[in-house]
Amino acid sequence: MKEKQKNTTGLSSPCALHYANRENAIAFFMRNGGISSKNIHYGNAVIVASGIVLLIIILLLSSASAQQCTDNDRDGFFKEGGLCGATDCDDNDRSVHPGALKLCDGKDSNCDGKRDFPTDVDNDLDGVPWCAGDCNDNHPDISPLVQEGPYASLTCSDGIDNDCDNTIDLNDTECEQPCVDKDGDGFGYPGRITCDNGPRPDCNDNDASIHPDADDNSCNNIDENCDGYYDEGYIKSVTACGVGTCSATGSLICSDGIELDTCTPGIALAEGPHGDLTCNDNIDNDCDGMTDSIDTNCIEPCQDNDNDGYGSPGNILCSNGPVSDCNDNDASIRPNAEDNNCNNIDENCDGYYDEGYVISVTTCGQGICSSSGLLVCSDGVEIDTCSPGAVQSEGPAGNPTCSDNIDNDCDGITDSNDTNCLAPCIDNDGDGYGSPGNITCPNGPVADCNDQDPAINAHDISYCDPSTSNCDSITLSWTSPVQNMDGSELTDLAGYKIYFGEYSNIYTDVIDIGNSTCFKAYIQSQAQSCFSITAYDTLGNESEYSNEACYLIN
């Protein structure tokens, strides 16, 4: 007996449903994504597994030695000496032991009872032996470990080389006053030796472009190199102005931080109109850079009747220059226009027509009638050269043309999908189901189990004989879903399954009804039946249950 648990979050039914409850609940199956797993409840059986933990204690015993040997610093030499070996004179320092390397560290490194060097002594106990650079080993405040500085500290005015670097007080760089360089150009204000570029002062410490090494060649009335003068590096240059008879020369000079051009053009004269002597003297009289026939004052005005920028004849005064328009009464016909229309018109004024037309591939017909051709231009008329093939017959049912995988009659439908290849529907009782089932039947290919009674068909569910008096029928119908559970569009709905049983949420039977959205069930009087519906797609994935409908026939 197959059972299925209700889940009301799946497919919904628009039908008004009556719910009924039963107390006789039984074990059930949970369904999820088409895979079922059985949940079985066991009694209070308890299995106790016991294990044995073995504790193994291993004692490692060593024999007592005759003499205790201590090596705290683990340098291989022992504090006791004797049987242990050479005596370590400092068993807490790994660098000190017999045969160790002599170091300038104030210690007897090799344990020979002597200083490593005559100068390996730290008389003032300041942590720096004489041999390590202590320039006064009798004064604990003088050694390389002592800081001399910073600026203004007592060590910068005590007359002592406190840090043993051979420089005293203000001669020591650590005692120098820090550089103040606000603009980061390497020069400070005031200038100090600690600045990147030395003690020369910066005359403007808020502008990195102003400092003693800058160039002062701009005309801006600013002393950029801090020498007390401004713009002294500026170099004047020769300038020219005017054209034609107005041409002249001058200089670009600097005056109080402003560049001045001393060039003054000559006085312009008249040139033109068309036909005047000034239009033929080879002189640019009006100083506009154009001479004689090129000067617009000397050219006859543009004649552009269709306002497309091209004149007839062509004229330099026209918007698009001197090229002539071959049809000055139609703005769509002009030089540089596209001539890709099939109309027998020279639209770009190049002496040819329709030369820009592009031939394209065409198709026609379907099935065995499919063909291809070209869309061509002939004397201003587009002609499609494609011609479909001849239509042939397809069918009737059983004919080889119904199984050759070819659309013989060119109607877009092939073999068993073509109605010409289908046997007519035999539906004796007129209930929309045929015997045998046939795709041409109103309710599709599902076979009718009794084609003599319209009340009995493939989608009937019977708990009793419909001919008896204690049997009644119910009909359920629903609207097809249009969305998946995630809200996306449902495009691959394949059919429905009806789950039913005598108790709520306990379904003992299931029937696949295909893509029908209605079915009839015969239920015995005084008996309850509960129904729920699922939908499935072309891959067999099944939805959750719809809401449940329970019926009790009185």
Side-chain angles (χ1 to χ4, degrees):
M1 178 174 67
K2 183 178 181 183
E3 301 159 356
K4 190 171 176 74
Q5 184 183 13
K6 171 188 172 185
N7 184 330
T8 61
T9 61
L11 177 68
S12 63
S13 169
C15 300
L17 303 181
H18 171 72
Y19 289 82
N21 298 318
R22 301 287 295 193
E23 296 179 355
N24 297 359
I26 62 174
F28 56 90
F29 288 110
M30 292 292 292
R31 188 173 186 82
N32 184 1
I35 301 176
S36 300
S37 63
K38 182 182 295 183
N39 296 328
I40 302 176
H41 177 72
Y42 294 95
N44 296 329
V46 179
I47 300 175
V48 179
S50 61
I52 298 175
V53 179
L54 299 180
L55 178 63
I56 301 176
I57 301 175
I58 301 176
L59 300 179
L60 300 178
L61 302 178
S62 59
S63 59
S65 56
Q67 179 176 343
Q68 181 71 28
C69 296
T70 304
D71 185 7
N72 292 323
D73 55 10
R74 298 185 180 182
D75 58 1
F77 296 89
F78 300 92
K79 177 179 179 180
E80 293 79 7
L83 295 177
C84 297
T87 302
D88 192 339
C89 58
D90 187 347
D91 200 34
N92 294 310
D93 189 339
R94 296 194 68 183
S95 65
V96 177
H97 57 77
L101 182 66
K102 293 182 179 182
L103 301 174
C104 179
D105 54 7
K107 304 174 184 178
D108 179 11
S109 302
N110 58 2
C111 296
D112 62 355
K114 302 176 183 179
R115 299 176 183 172
D116 288 350
F117 308 102
T119 58
D120 189 9
V121 59
D122 185 8
N123 293 321
D124 52 14
L125 301 178
D126 58 4
V128 182
W130 183 8
C131 58
D134 191 341
C135 56
N136 188 339
D137 201 36
N138 295 310
H139 199 306
D141 294 328
I142 300 176
S143 78
L145 298 179
V146 177
Q147 180 178 355
E148 189 160 3
Y151 175 78
S153 70
L154 293 177
T155 58
C156 293
S157 59
D158 59 3
I160 298 173
D161 181 12
N162 304 84
D163 55 4
C164 295
D165 63 353
N166 296 320
T167 55
I168 299 174
D169 295 349
L170 296 180
N171 292 321
D172 196 313
T173 56
E174 294 179 356
C175 288
E176 293 175 353
Q177 189 172 1
C179 176
V180 179
D181 182 9
K182 296 179 182 179
D183 55 11
D185 58 5
F187 293 89
Y189 183 80
R192 295 194 176 103
I193 194 172
T194 52
C195 294
D196 292 344
N197 290 318
R200 289 179 295 167
D202 193 340
C203 55
N204 187 338
D205 204 29
N206 294 310
D207 189 336
S209 66
I210 299 176
H211 54 77
D213 286 344
D215 292 327
D216 194 7
N217 54 10
S218 300
C219 182
N220 54 13
N221 232 15
I222 297 174
D223 178 14
E224 292 167 307
N225 59 3
C226 302
D227 65 352
Y229 304 93
Y230 56 85
D231 304 341
E232 73 272 15
Y234 180 86
I235 300 175
K236 68 178 183 179
S237 56
V238 177
T239 60
C241 58
V243 294
T245 60
C246 303
S247 298
T249 60
S251 297
L252 192 64
I253 63 174
C254 180
S255 176
D256 293 328
I258 300 174
E259 283 188 316
L260 299 177
D261 191 345
T262 64
C263 184
T264 302
I267 299 174
L269 303 174
E271 188 158 9
H274 178 71
D276 190 86
L277 291 177
T278 55
C279 292
N280 195 33
D281 60 2
N282 203 29
I283 297 174
D284 179 11
N285 299 279
D286 56 2
C287 307
D288 63 355
M290 296 181 288
T291 303
D292 296 349
S293 60
I294 298 176
D295 197 309
T296 55
N297 295 325
C298 291
I299 298 174
E300 186 176 2
C302 174
Q303 300 296 325
D304 184 9
N305 295 325
D306 56 9
N307 294 317
D308 59 2
Y310 294 92
S312 180
N315 192 320
I316 194 173
L317 295 181
C318 295
S319 301
N320 292 316
V323 182
S324 293
D325 193 340
C326 57
N327 186 339
D328 204 29
N329 295 308
D330 188 338
S332 67
I333 301 175
R334 65 186 183 279
N336 292 328
E338 292 184 353
D339 194 8
N340 54 10
N341 297 314
C342 182
N343 55 12
N344 238 13
I345 297 175
D346 178 14
E347 292 166 306
N348 59 4
C349 300
D350 65 351
Y352 304 94
Y353 56 85
D354 304 342
E355 74 273 12
Y357 180 85
V358 179
I359 297 174
S360 57
V361 177
T362 61
T363 59
C364 57
Q366 55 186 341
I368 63 172
C369 302
S370 61
S371 181
S372 63
L374 299 173
L375 192 63
V376 299
C377 180
S378 177
D379 293 328
V381 178
E382 282 188 317
I383 299 175
D384 190 347
T385 64
C386 185
S387 178
V391 177
Q392 300 179 19
S393 61
E394 188 155 9
N399 190 281
T401 57
C402 292
S403 58
D404 59 2
N405 202 28
I406 298 174
D407 179 12
N408 298 280
D409 55 3
C410 307
D411 62 355
I413 307 173
T414 303
D415 295 350
S416 60
N417 294 321
D418 196 311
T419 55
N420 296 330
C421 288
L422 298 176
C425 176
I426 300 175
D427 183 11
N428 296 321
D429 55 12
D431 60 1
Y433 294 92
S435 179
N438 194 317
I439 195 172
T440 59
C441 294
N443 290 322
V446 180
D448 193 340
C449 58
N450 187 339
D451 204 30
Q452 304 303 320
D453 186 345
I456 301 176
N457 54 54
H459 288 168
D460 291 341
I461 301 175
S462 298
Y463 284 115
C464 63
D465 184 354
S467 64
T468 64
S469 60
N470 64 342
C471 187
D472 205 346
S473 66
I474 61 171
T475 299
L476 267 66
S477 63
W478 57 93
T479 301
S480 297
V482 296
Q483 289 184 333
N484 292 306
M485 293 183 67
D486 60 3
S488 61
E489 182 181 1
L490 176 61
T491 59
D492 56 352
L493 178 64
Y496 306 93
K497 292 182 180 180
I498 307 298
Y499 289 85
F500 55 96
E502 297 181 28
Y503 304 100
S504 175
N505 297 331
I506 301 175
Y507 308 127
T508 57
D509 293 284
V510 62
I511 181 172
D512 189 330
I513 64 168
N515 57 9
S516 176
T517 58
C518 194
F519 74 95
K520 180 184 288 185
Y522 290 95
I523 303 174
Q524 187 163 342
S525 299
Q526 307 301 320
Q528 175 181 264
S529 291
C530 294
F531 301 89
S532 187
I533 306 166
T534 65
Y536 59 87
D537 60 21
T538 54
L539 297 178
N541 297 312
E542 191 172 349
S543 74
E544 299 292 342
Y545 290 124
S546 71
N547 54 322
E548 184 181 59
C550 291
Y551 298 91
L552 178 62
I553 304 299
N554 295 319

